[in-house]
Amino acid sequence: QVRLVESGGGLVQPGGSLRLSCAASGSISSIGAMGWYRQAPGNERELVATFTSAGTTDYADSVKGRFAISRDIAKNSVYLQMTNLKPEDTAVYFCKARITFYLGSRLHTDSRVHWGQGTQVTVSS
């Protein structure tokens, strides 16, 4: 059983900052690509920032220069530092990760994409 749990969302004024955290837990063997997506009402879910399977980072054009993704491999965690927030950043932010996990007696593994439950970020005055 593997879980992704996000935290750090909330209400912030335009120009403010927030830091989101996502931690993976369970019988984890390894984590590949891991990052953040968001979904605003009426919109499709979109990439915000991610570490690719190669370890590089990828950002949406709309957040470049304002958001920074980081990770702590030892803690199976990824973070999103958001600065200069704008009303259009308002959305539910989801953590996504490709996780290889142990099965049963830990002699075998499986690999699947996991999503967190999401955390609300609201930017409003």
Side-chain angles (χ1 to χ4, degrees):
Q1 194 82 331
V2 173
R3 293 181 64 203
L4 288 177
V5 178
E6 302 103 332
S7 61
L11 172 65
V12 64
Q13 292 185 342
S17 300
L18 280 176
R19 185 175 187 254
L20 304 183
S21 299
C22 171
S25 62
S27 298
I28 297 170
S29 172
S30 63
I31 300 177
M34 191 173 190
W36 294 94
Y37 289 69
R38 68 186 179 187
Q39 187 167 18
N43 290 357
E44 294 189 353
R45 196 169 295 188
E46 62 177 6
L47 170 72
V48 177
T50 189
F51 282 96
T52 69
S53 59
T56 58
T57 55
D58 191 18
Y59 290 88
D61 288 343
S62 60
V63 307
K64 286 180 180 178
R66 299 189 298 121
F67 292 10
I69 190 171
S70 60
R71 72 190 299 180
D72 186 331
I73 294 175
K75 294 183 178 180
N76 292 328
S77 295
V78 68
Y79 309 96
L80 186 68
Q81 180 67 48
M82 305 184 292
T83 61
N84 191 20
L85 281 158
K86 304 176 181 181
E88 51 263 41
D89 295 317
T90 295
V92 179
Y93 284 69
F94 296 90
C95 181
K96 176 186 176 183
R98 162 71 68 172
I99 298 175
T100 300
F101 54 95
Y102 294 103
L103 298 170
S105 63
R106 299 174 71 88
L107 294 178
H108 303 286
T109 60
D110 193 3
S111 179
R112 296 182 188 174
V113 170
H114 290 78
W115 289 90
Q117 82 287 351
T119 184
Q120 177 71 45
V121 172
T122 302
V123 185
S124 175
S125 55

